[in-house]
Amino acid sequence: QSGGVKTPIKVMPLGVDVNRYKPGIGKFDFGSDTNGFVFLSVFRWSYRKGFDILIQAFIEEFSSDDDVTLLMVSRWLDCNEKNGNEKIKKDFAGIRSCMKKSDEQMPHIMLYNKPVHESHMPSIYNSADAFVLMSRGEGFGLPFLEAGSSGLPVIATKCSGHSDFINEDTALVVEPEKYVEVSSRGEMAEMAKLCHFYEGQKFPFFGRKSINLLRQYMRWLYENKNGADNKVQKFRRVINENYSWNSAVDRVYDRIKQIS
């Protein structure tokens, strides 16, 4: 309030086109085959998105004996595409070097780092069996809604903006083990280096307990493909009732009438 912000604050959420993001449409052509059960993650390549937790958990839990794929649709948004690709390779190599598995034992991991037109996104979600994103922070978390509207079971962190609609009823959730104040010279330095506004802010910490829980969730979905159908149906109802574009427009329209 000292900064001039007046309460109450009215939240106007985003929305998703439920007529486009739905199950049963065609699959996207990634140019190569995905193996068996597909875990999809859609994000900008950034430490904030938790790719390190996701990749580590996937490599630890699965092997080449499992008919499974981790498909990451992601790019490092650098003006120089070569720099972006090198950044991703370096990050992956750092995680891979800590894994006690030979190349022959490694599970199937795919990266699709080409620009994707928004019109193709529904078919990308329909190419997967489950959606997973271990984000450390979101302003809103639109990919969760797009995945849920597309009928995918969702594995997600329970923190930040997407906790408005991500809970135990709608997803398999991983709660933070604690919150830490990030510092470029201390804890979660990678987060602080992303943006100077993050310095001194508290962000969720996901450690060994979180990795083990994520492994359990992925294994369970892999072995029980329809096991989360109840959560999928509940999430789609929540989206249709509260986060469709029609409902989002109605909220904005009603608020404009109130203040005018």
Side-chain angles (χ1 to χ4, degrees):
Q1 293 181 347
S2 62
V5 178
K6 298 180 180 180
T7 56
I9 297 173
K10 302 294 183 179
V11 177
M12 298 292 109
L14 296 176
V16 61
D17 188 344
V18 296
N19 294 317
R20 293 183 57 244
Y21 287 87
K22 60 184 180 181
I25 64 175
K27 296 183 178 182
F28 186 79
D29 181 9
F30 291 100
S32 60
D33 293 334
T34 55
N35 293 347
F37 191 100
V38 178
F39 289 99
L40 170 69
S41 196
V42 176
F43 60 95
R44 172 187 173 182
W45 193 270
S46 164
Y47 179 77
R48 177 168 62 87
K49 300 291 186 175
F51 63 80
D52 52 320
I53 308 168
L54 173 60
I55 295 173
Q56 181 178 344
F58 185 78
I59 293 177
E60 287 183 357
E61 182 59 33
F62 298 104
S63 73
S64 55
D65 293 331
D66 297 301
D67 192 15
V68 63
T69 294
L70 173 60
L71 170 61
M72 296 177 291
V73 178
S74 180
R75 291 187 298 146
W76 174 266
L77 297 186
D78 190 292
C79 294
N80 187 319
E81 184 176 352
K82 182 179 179 181
N83 290 345
N85 291 338
E86 290 303 315
K87 167 65 175 171
I88 294 175
K89 289 178 182 178
K90 181 180 178 180
D91 286 339
F92 182 82
I95 301 168
R96 172 70 181 91
S97 65
C98 299
M99 300 292 102
K100 297 179 180 179
K101 281 188 178 179
S102 66
D103 290 343
E104 291 74 21
Q105 294 175 313
M106 283 284 287
H108 190 220
I109 300 176
M110 285 180 58
L111 171 70
Y112 190 80
N113 62 349
K114 297 179 181 179
V116 179
H117 194 277
E118 198 277 332
S119 63
H120 293 148
M121 288 306 300
S123 62
I124 284 182
Y125 288 105
N126 270 265
S127 301
D129 298 290
F131 181 80
V132 54
L133 181 57
M134 289 297 294
S135 179
R136 294 181 169 96
E138 295 289 332
F140 182 71
L142 188 58
F144 295 110
L145 289 183
E146 293 174 342
S149 185
S150 300
L152 296 182
V154 171
I155 304 175
T157 53
K158 190 180 179 183
C159 59
S160 189
H162 55 285
S163 58
D164 281 348
F165 46 80
I166 291 294
N167 53 56
E168 290 78 3
D169 289 334
T170 58
L172 297 166
V173 297
V174 179
E175 295 201 35
E177 295 172 34
K178 61 180 179 177
Y179 284 84
V180 300
E181 186 175 302
V182 304
S183 169
S184 56
R185 298 182 179 180
E187 289 193 89
M188 294 180 69
E190 286 296 320
M191 179 66 77
K193 292 175 183 178
L194 285 175
C195 176
H196 69 273
F197 291 116
Y198 293 165
E199 182 81 32
Q201 301 297 319
K202 288 188 176 181
F203 278 86
F205 172 83
F206 300 99
R208 171 46 56 186
K209 180 180 178 181
S210 303
I211 291 173
N212 288 343
L213 182 57
L214 175 57
R215 289 177 59 179
Q216 291 174 26
Y217 284 155
M218 289 194 293
R219 173 62 66 177
W220 183 75
L221 281 178
Y222 171 66
E223 296 180 352
N224 302 273
K225 187 172 182 178
N226 300 316
D229 279 358
N230 189 42
K231 293 181 185 293
V232 170
Q233 293 168 9
K234 287 183 178 179
F235 198 11
R236 292 198 72 209
R237 284 200 298 270
V238 168
I239 294 170
N240 281 310
E241 293 172 4
N242 301 296
Y243 294 97
S244 68
W245 272 122
N246 285 341
S247 61
V249 170
D250 286 344
R251 290 192 191 190
V252 174
Y253 177 73
D254 290 341
R255 183 59 186 152
I256 289 175
K257 285 201 302 182
Q258 291 173 10
I259 63 178
S260 62

PDB file of all heavy atoms in Angstrom, residues 86-113:
ATOM      1  N   GLU A  86      23.739 -24.092 -27.860  1.00  0.00           N
ATOM      2  CA  GLU A  86      24.911 -24.412 -27.038  1.00  0.00           C
ATOM      3  C   GLU A  86      24.567 -24.340 -25.560  1.00  0.00           C
ATOM      4  O   GLU A  86      25.061 -25.135 -24.755  1.00  0.00           O
ATOM      5  CB  GLU A  86      26.066 -23.461 -27.373  1.00  0.00           C
ATOM      6  CG  GLU A  86      26.668 -23.684 -28.748  1.00  0.00           C
ATOM      7  CD  GLU A  86      27.170 -25.103 -28.936  1.00  0.00           C
ATOM      8  OE1 GLU A  86      27.838 -25.628 -28.010  1.00  0.00           O
ATOM      9  OE2 GLU A  86      26.896 -25.709 -29.992  1.00  0.00           O
ATOM     10  N   LYS A  87      23.716 -23.374 -25.183  1.00  0.00           N
ATOM     11  CA  LYS A  87      23.293 -23.244 -23.794  1.00  0.00           C
ATOM     12  C   LYS A  87      22.540 -24.499 -23.352  1.00  0.00           C
ATOM     13  O   LYS A  87      22.787 -25.038 -22.261  1.00  0.00           O
ATOM     14  CB  LYS A  87      22.400 -22.013 -23.651  1.00  0.00           C
ATOM     15  CG  LYS A  87      21.618 -21.910 -22.344  1.00  0.00           C
ATOM     16  CD  LYS A  87      22.509 -21.740 -21.146  1.00  0.00           C
ATOM     17  CE  LYS A  87      21.674 -21.521 -19.890  1.00  0.00           C
ATOM     18  NZ  LYS A  87      22.495 -21.557 -18.649  1.00  0.00           N
ATOM     19  N   ILE A  88      21.621 -24.977 -24.183  1.00  0.00           N
ATOM     20  CA  ILE A  88      20.844 -26.171 -23.849  1.00  0.00           C
ATOM     21  C   ILE A  88      21.757 -27.396 -23.746  1.00  0.00           C
ATOM     22  O   ILE A  88      21.637 -28.198 -22.814  1.00  0.00           O
ATOM     23  CB  ILE A  88      19.737 -26.401 -24.887  1.00  0.00           C
ATOM     24  CG1 ILE A  88      18.713 -25.262 -24.826  1.00  0.00           C
ATOM     25  CG2 ILE A  88      19.046 -27.743 -24.675  1.00  0.00           C
ATOM     26  CD1 ILE A  88      17.649 -25.320 -25.895  1.00  0.00           C
ATOM     27  N   LYS A  89      22.676 -27.535 -24.704  1.00  0.00           N
ATOM     28  CA  LYS A  89      23.609 -28.671 -24.672  1.00  0.00           C
ATOM     29  C   LYS A  89      24.457 -28.654 -23.407  1.00  0.00           C
ATOM     30  O   LYS A  89      24.688 -29.695 -22.780  1.00  0.00           O
ATOM     31  CB  LYS A  89      24.515 -28.626 -25.909  1.00  0.00           C
ATOM     32  CG  LYS A  89      23.817 -28.954 -27.215  1.00  0.00           C
ATOM     33  CD  LYS A  89      24.793 -28.844 -28.377  1.00  0.00           C
ATOM     34  CE  LYS A  89      24.115 -29.125 -29.710  1.00  0.00           C
ATOM     35  NZ  LYS A  89      25.060 -28.969 -30.840  1.00  0.00           N
ATOM     36  N   LYS A  90      24.909 -27.470 -23.027  1.00  0.00           N
ATOM     37  CA  LYS A  90      25.753 -27.340 -21.841  1.00  0.00           C
ATOM     38  C   LYS A  90      24.973 -27.711 -20.583  1.00  0.00           C
ATOM     39  O   LYS A  90      25.479 -28.446 -19.713  1.00  0.00           O
ATOM     40  CB  LYS A  90      26.277 -25.914 -21.731  1.00  0.00           C
ATOM     41  CG  LYS A  90      27.183 -25.683 -20.540  1.00  0.00           C
ATOM     42  CD  LYS A  90      27.682 -24.241 -20.490  1.00  0.00           C
ATOM     43  CE  LYS A  90      28.562 -24.006 -19.265  1.00  0.00           C
ATOM     44  NZ  LYS A  90      29.044 -22.592 -19.207  1.00  0.00           N
ATOM     45  N   ASP A  91      23.733 -27.220 -20.475  1.00  0.00           N
ATOM     46  CA  ASP A  91      22.911 -27.531 -19.310  1.00  0.00           C
ATOM     47  C   ASP A  91      22.624 -29.031 -19.220  1.00  0.00           C
ATOM     48  O   ASP A  91      22.705 -29.630 -18.137  1.00  0.00           O
ATOM     49  CB  ASP A  91      21.590 -26.751 -19.366  1.00  0.00           C
ATOM     50  CG  ASP A  91      21.762 -25.277 -19.058  1.00  0.00           C
ATOM     51  OD1 ASP A  91      22.777 -24.905 -18.432  1.00  0.00           O
ATOM     52  OD2 ASP A  91      20.886 -24.485 -19.454  1.00  0.00           O
ATOM     53  N   PHE A  92      22.271 -29.628 -20.361  1.00  0.00           N
ATOM     54  CA  PHE A  92      21.970 -31.060 -20.359  1.00  0.00           C
ATOM     55  C   PHE A  92      23.214 -31.873 -19.998  1.00  0.00           C
ATOM     56  O   PHE A  92      23.138 -32.835 -19.219  1.00  0.00           O
ATOM     57  CB  PHE A  92      21.435 -31.505 -21.712  1.00  0.00           C
ATOM     58  CG  PHE A  92      21.069 -32.968 -21.761  1.00  0.00           C
ATOM     59  CD1 PHE A  92      19.845 -33.408 -21.277  1.00  0.00           C
ATOM     60  CD2 PHE A  92      21.953 -33.911 -22.261  1.00  0.00           C
ATOM     61  CE1 PHE A  92      19.507 -34.748 -21.292  1.00  0.00           C
ATOM     62  CE2 PHE A  92      21.636 -35.259 -22.287  1.00  0.00           C
ATOM     63  CZ  PHE A  92      20.394 -35.677 -21.800  1.00  0.00           C
ATOM     64  N   ALA A  93      24.358 -31.495 -20.559  1.00  0.00           N
ATOM     65  CA  ALA A  93      25.598 -32.222 -20.287  1.00  0.00           C
ATOM     66  C   ALA A  93      25.940 -32.166 -18.803  1.00  0.00           C
ATOM     67  O   ALA A  93      26.442 -33.149 -18.236  1.00  0.00           O
ATOM     68  CB  ALA A  93      26.743 -31.647 -21.123  1.00  0.00           C
ATOM     69  N   GLY A  94      25.666 -31.031 -18.159  1.00  0.00           N
ATOM     70  CA  GLY A  94      25.940 -30.907 -16.737  1.00  0.00           C
ATOM     71  C   GLY A  94      25.103 -31.859 -15.908  1.00  0.00           C
ATOM     72  O   GLY A  94      25.591 -32.463 -14.947  1.00  0.00           O
ATOM     73  N   ILE A  95      23.833 -32.008 -16.286  1.00  0.00           N
ATOM     74  CA  ILE A  95      22.951 -32.944 -15.586  1.00  0.00           C
ATOM     75  C   ILE A  95      23.354 -34.382 -15.897  1.00  0.00           C
ATOM     76  O   ILE A  95      23.443 -35.226 -15.003  1.00  0.00           O
ATOM     77  CB  ILE A  95      21.484 -32.696 -15.991  1.00  0.00           C
ATOM     78  CG1 ILE A  95      21.069 -31.264 -15.646  1.00  0.00           C
ATOM     79  CG2 ILE A  95      20.560 -33.702 -15.303  1.00  0.00           C
ATOM     80  CD1 ILE A  95      19.749 -30.849 -16.266  1.00  0.00           C
ATOM     81  N   ARG A  96      23.617 -34.645 -17.161  1.00  0.00           N
ATOM     82  CA  ARG A  96      23.963 -36.004 -17.602  1.00  0.00           C
ATOM     83  C   ARG A  96      25.230 -36.507 -16.915  1.00  0.00           C
ATOM     84  O   ARG A  96      25.329 -37.691 -16.556  1.00  0.00           O
ATOM     85  CB  ARG A  96      24.160 -35.995 -19.126  1.00  0.00           C
ATOM     86  CG  ARG A  96      24.710 -37.295 -19.738  1.00  0.00           C
ATOM     87  CD  ARG A  96      23.671 -38.383 -19.680  1.00  0.00           C
ATOM     88  NE  ARG A  96      24.167 -39.642 -20.221  1.00  0.00           N
ATOM     89  CZ  ARG A  96      24.772 -40.584 -19.497  1.00  0.00           C
ATOM     90  NH1 ARG A  96      24.969 -40.403 -18.196  1.00  0.00           N
ATOM     91  NH2 ARG A  96      25.181 -41.705 -20.054  1.00  0.00           N
ATOM     92  N   SER A  97      26.182 -35.626 -16.693  1.00  0.00           N
ATOM     93  CA  SER A  97      27.463 -36.038 -16.113  1.00  0.00           C
ATOM     94  C   SER A  97      27.316 -36.543 -14.683  1.00  0.00           C
ATOM     95  O   SER A  97      28.184 -37.265 -14.186  1.00  0.00           O
ATOM     96  CB  SER A  97      28.450 -34.869 -16.137  1.00  0.00           C
ATOM     97  OG  SER A  97      28.010 -33.807 -15.294  1.00  0.00           O
ATOM     98  N   CYS A  98      26.211 -36.174 -14.022  1.00  0.00           N
ATOM     99  CA  CYS A  98      25.983 -36.606 -12.644  1.00  0.00           C
ATOM    100  C   CYS A  98      25.209 -37.919 -12.554  1.00  0.00           C
ATOM    101  O   CYS A  98      25.021 -38.460 -11.456  1.00  0.00           O
ATOM    102  CB  CYS A  98      25.222 -35.523 -11.865  1.00  0.00           C
ATOM    103  SG  CYS A  98      26.106 -33.953 -11.751  1.00  0.00           S
ATOM    104  N   MET A  99      24.748 -38.406 -13.684  1.00  0.00           N
ATOM    105  CA  MET A  99      23.934 -39.614 -13.711  1.00  0.00           C
ATOM    106  C   MET A  99      24.817 -40.861 -13.854  1.00  0.00           C
ATOM    107  O   MET A  99      25.712 -40.895 -14.696  1.00  0.00           O
ATOM    108  CB  MET A  99      22.942 -39.578 -14.873  1.00  0.00           C
ATOM    109  CG  MET A  99      21.959 -38.413 -14.834  1.00  0.00           C
ATOM    110  SD  MET A  99      20.775 -38.505 -13.470  1.00  0.00           S
ATOM    111  CE  MET A  99      21.499 -37.305 -12.336  1.00  0.00           C
ATOM    112  N   LYS A 100      24.567 -41.857 -13.037  1.00  0.00           N
ATOM    113  CA  LYS A 100      25.361 -43.081 -13.068  1.00  0.00           C
ATOM    114  C   LYS A 100      24.737 -44.096 -14.022  1.00  0.00           C
ATOM    115  O   LYS A 100      24.354 -45.205 -13.634  1.00  0.00           O
ATOM    116  CB  LYS A 100      25.480 -43.656 -11.663  1.00  0.00           C
ATOM    117  CG  LYS A 100      26.205 -42.735 -10.690  1.00  0.00           C
ATOM    118  CD  LYS A 100      26.290 -43.321  -9.299  1.00  0.00           C
ATOM    119  CE  LYS A 100      27.008 -42.393  -8.342  1.00  0.00           C
ATOM    120  NZ  LYS A 100      27.087 -42.947  -6.969  1.00  0.00           N
ATOM    121  N   LYS A 101      24.636 -43.690 -15.284  1.00  0.00           N
ATOM    122  CA  LYS A 101      24.090 -44.588 -16.306  1.00  0.00           C
ATOM    123  C   LYS A 101      24.930 -44.458 -17.565  1.00  0.00           C
ATOM    124  O   LYS A 101      25.331 -43.351 -17.947  1.00  0.00           O
ATOM    125  CB  LYS A 101      22.627 -44.227 -16.622  1.00  0.00           C
ATOM    126  CG  LYS A 101      21.633 -44.728 -15.595  1.00  0.00           C
ATOM    127  CD  LYS A 101      20.191 -44.507 -16.043  1.00  0.00           C
ATOM    128  CE  LYS A 101      19.224 -45.079 -15.012  1.00  0.00           C
ATOM    129  NZ  LYS A 101      17.810 -44.867 -15.386  1.00  0.00           N
ATOM    130  N   SER A 102      25.142 -45.597 -18.204  1.00  0.00           N
ATOM    131  CA  SER A 102      25.844 -45.578 -19.481  1.00  0.00           C
ATOM    132  C   SER A 102      24.908 -45.061 -20.564  1.00  0.00           C
ATOM    133  O   SER A 102      23.696 -44.975 -20.372  1.00  0.00           O
ATOM    134  CB  SER A 102      26.315 -46.992 -19.840  1.00  0.00           C
ATOM    135  OG  SER A 102      25.192 -47.838 -20.081  1.00  0.00           O
ATOM    136  N   ASP A 103      25.458 -44.724 -21.701  1.00  0.00           N
ATOM    137  CA  ASP A 103      24.632 -44.265 -22.814  1.00  0.00           C
ATOM    138  C   ASP A 103      23.621 -45.328 -23.217  1.00  0.00           C
ATOM    139  O   ASP A 103      22.492 -45.013 -23.621  1.00  0.00           O
ATOM    140  CB  ASP A 103      25.516 -43.898 -24.014  1.00  0.00           C
ATOM    141  CG  ASP A 103      26.327 -42.634 -23.768  1.00  0.00           C
ATOM    142  OD1 ASP A 103      25.976 -41.882 -22.834  1.00  0.00           O
ATOM    143  OD2 ASP A 103      27.313 -42.407 -24.502  1.00  0.00           O
ATOM    144  N   GLU A 104      24.029 -46.605 -23.111  1.00  0.00           N
ATOM    145  CA  GLU A 104      23.140 -47.696 -23.492  1.00  0.00           C
ATOM    146  C   GLU A 104      21.960 -47.827 -22.524  1.00  0.00           C
ATOM    147  O   GLU A 104      20.891 -48.330 -22.893  1.00  0.00           O
ATOM    148  CB  GLU A 104      23.907 -49.013 -23.529  1.00  0.00           C
ATOM    149  CG  GLU A 104      24.924 -49.123 -24.658  1.00  0.00           C
ATOM    150  CD  GLU A 104      26.161 -48.279 -24.425  1.00  0.00           C
ATOM    151  OE1 GLU A 104      26.418 -47.924 -23.250  1.00  0.00           O
ATOM    152  OE2 GLU A 104      26.863 -47.959 -25.405  1.00  0.00           O
ATOM    153  N   GLN A 105      22.110 -47.371 -21.298  1.00  0.00           N
ATOM    154  CA  GLN A 105      21.049 -47.470 -20.292  1.00  0.00           C
ATOM    155  C   GLN A 105      20.121 -46.256 -20.278  1.00  0.00           C
ATOM    156  O   GLN A 105      19.076 -46.302 -19.635  1.00  0.00           O
ATOM    157  CB  GLN A 105      21.680 -47.621 -18.892  1.00  0.00           C
ATOM    158  CG  GLN A 105      22.448 -48.907 -18.665  1.00  0.00           C
ATOM    159  CD  GLN A 105      23.141 -48.902 -17.309  1.00  0.00           C
ATOM    160  OE1 GLN A 105      23.793 -47.932 -16.927  1.00  0.00           O
ATOM    161  NE2 GLN A 105      22.980 -49.994 -16.579  1.00  0.00           N
ATOM    162  N   MET A 106      20.491 -45.220 -20.997  1.00  0.00           N
ATOM    163  CA  MET A 106      19.739 -43.972 -20.931  1.00  0.00           C
ATOM    164  C   MET A 106      18.329 -44.114 -21.528  1.00  0.00           C
ATOM    165  O   MET A 106      18.148 -44.735 -22.584  1.00  0.00           O
ATOM    166  CB  MET A 106      20.477 -42.875 -21.681  1.00  0.00           C
ATOM    167  CG  MET A 106      21.645 -42.298 -20.914  1.00  0.00           C
ATOM    168  SD  MET A 106      21.101 -41.178 -19.596  1.00  0.00           S
ATOM    169  CE  MET A 106      20.575 -39.775 -20.576  1.00  0.00           C
ATOM    170  N   PRO A 107      17.310 -43.515 -20.864  1.00  0.00           N
ATOM    171  CA  PRO A 107      15.960 -43.491 -21.448  1.00  0.00           C
ATOM    172  C   PRO A 107      15.912 -42.509 -22.614  1.00  0.00           C
ATOM    173  O   PRO A 107      16.833 -41.704 -22.796  1.00  0.00           O
ATOM    174  CB  PRO A 107      15.089 -43.017 -20.278  1.00  0.00           C
ATOM    175  CG  PRO A 107      16.013 -42.156 -19.464  1.00  0.00           C
ATOM    176  CD  PRO A 107      17.366 -42.812 -19.564  1.00  0.00           C
ATOM    177  N   HIS A 108      14.824 -42.596 -23.379  1.00  0.00           N
ATOM    178  CA  HIS A 108      14.693 -41.767 -24.579  1.00  0.00           C
ATOM    179  C   HIS A 108      14.275 -40.352 -24.221  1.00  0.00           C
ATOM    180  O   HIS A 108      13.223 -40.130 -23.624  1.00  0.00           O
ATOM    181  CB  HIS A 108      13.665 -42.397 -25.521  1.00  0.00           C
ATOM    182  CG  HIS A 108      13.633 -41.770 -26.876  1.00  0.00           C
ATOM    183  ND1 HIS A 108      12.463 -41.528 -27.560  1.00  0.00           N
ATOM    184  CD2 HIS A 108      14.629 -41.322 -27.676  1.00  0.00           C
ATOM    185  CE1 HIS A 108      12.736 -40.978 -28.718  1.00  0.00           C
ATOM    186  NE2 HIS A 108      14.047 -40.849 -28.808  1.00  0.00           N
ATOM    187  N   ILE A 109      15.103 -39.376 -24.582  1.00  0.00           N
ATOM    188  CA  ILE A 109      14.808 -37.957 -24.344  1.00  0.00           C
ATOM    189  C   ILE A 109      14.886 -37.213 -25.668  1.00  0.00           C
ATOM    190  O   ILE A 109      15.854 -37.345 -26.415  1.00  0.00           O
ATOM    191  CB  ILE A 109      15.786 -37.334 -23.332  1.00  0.00           C
ATOM    192  CG1 ILE A 109      15.701 -38.051 -21.990  1.00  0.00           C
ATOM    193  CG2 ILE A 109      15.516 -35.845 -23.159  1.00  0.00           C
ATOM    194  CD1 ILE A 109      16.710 -37.554 -20.963  1.00  0.00           C
ATOM    195  N   MET A 110      13.849 -36.429 -25.964  1.00  0.00           N
ATOM    196  CA  MET A 110      13.801 -35.648 -27.201  1.00  0.00           C
ATOM    197  C   MET A 110      13.641 -34.165 -26.886  1.00  0.00           C
ATOM    198  O   MET A 110      12.924 -33.795 -25.951  1.00  0.00           O
ATOM    199  CB  MET A 110      12.618 -36.071 -28.087  1.00  0.00           C
ATOM    200  CG  MET A 110      12.786 -37.385 -28.807  1.00  0.00           C
ATOM    201  SD  MET A 110      11.307 -37.761 -29.826  1.00  0.00           S
ATOM    202  CE  MET A 110      11.227 -36.321 -30.894  1.00  0.00           C
ATOM    203  N   LEU A 111      14.316 -33.325 -27.675  1.00  0.00           N
ATOM    204  CA  LEU A 111      14.141 -31.878 -27.591  1.00  0.00           C
ATOM    205  C   LEU A 111      13.668 -31.370 -28.945  1.00  0.00           C
ATOM    206  O   LEU A 111      14.304 -31.635 -29.965  1.00  0.00           O
ATOM    207  CB  LEU A 111      15.456 -31.191 -27.218  1.00  0.00           C
ATOM    208  CG  LEU A 111      15.434 -29.659 -27.317  1.00  0.00           C
ATOM    209  CD1 LEU A 111      14.558 -29.060 -26.216  1.00  0.00           C
ATOM    210  CD2 LEU A 111      16.856 -29.085 -27.240  1.00  0.00           C
ATOM    211  N   TYR A 112      12.546 -30.665 -28.949  1.00  0.00           N
ATOM    212  CA  TYR A 112      12.088 -30.008 -30.171  1.00  0.00           C
ATOM    213  C   TYR A 112      12.246 -28.505 -29.946  1.00  0.00           C
ATOM    214  O   TYR A 112      11.500 -27.901 -29.172  1.00  0.00           O
ATOM    215  CB  TYR A 112      10.624 -30.355 -30.471  1.00  0.00           C
ATOM    216  CG  TYR A 112      10.181 -29.890 -31.841  1.00  0.00           C
ATOM    217  CD1 TYR A 112      10.499 -30.624 -32.974  1.00  0.00           C
ATOM    218  CD2 TYR A 112       9.463 -28.694 -31.998  1.00  0.00           C
ATOM    219  CE1 TYR A 112      10.109 -30.202 -34.238  1.00  0.00           C
ATOM    220  CE2 TYR A 112       9.072 -28.269 -33.251  1.00  0.00           C
ATOM    221  CZ  TYR A 112       9.400 -29.021 -34.369  1.00  0.00           C
ATOM    222  OH  TYR A 112       9.018 -28.581 -35.618  1.00  0.00           O
ATOM    223  N   ASN A 113      13.251 -27.917 -30.594  1.00  0.00           N
ATOM    224  CA  ASN A 113      13.598 -26.529 -30.314  1.00  0.00           C
ATOM    225  C   ASN A 113      13.354 -25.586 -31.495  1.00  0.00           C
ATOM    226  O   ASN A 113      13.939 -24.511 -31.574  1.00  0.00           O
ATOM    227  CB  ASN A 113      15.057 -26.428 -29.864  1.00  0.00           C
ATOM    228  CG  ASN A 113      16.043 -26.891 -30.937  1.00  0.00           C
ATOM    229  OD1 ASN A 113      15.649 -27.481 -31.938  1.00  0.00           O
ATOM    230  ND2 ASN A 113      17.313 -26.638 -30.719  1.00  0.00           N
TER     231      ASN A 113
END
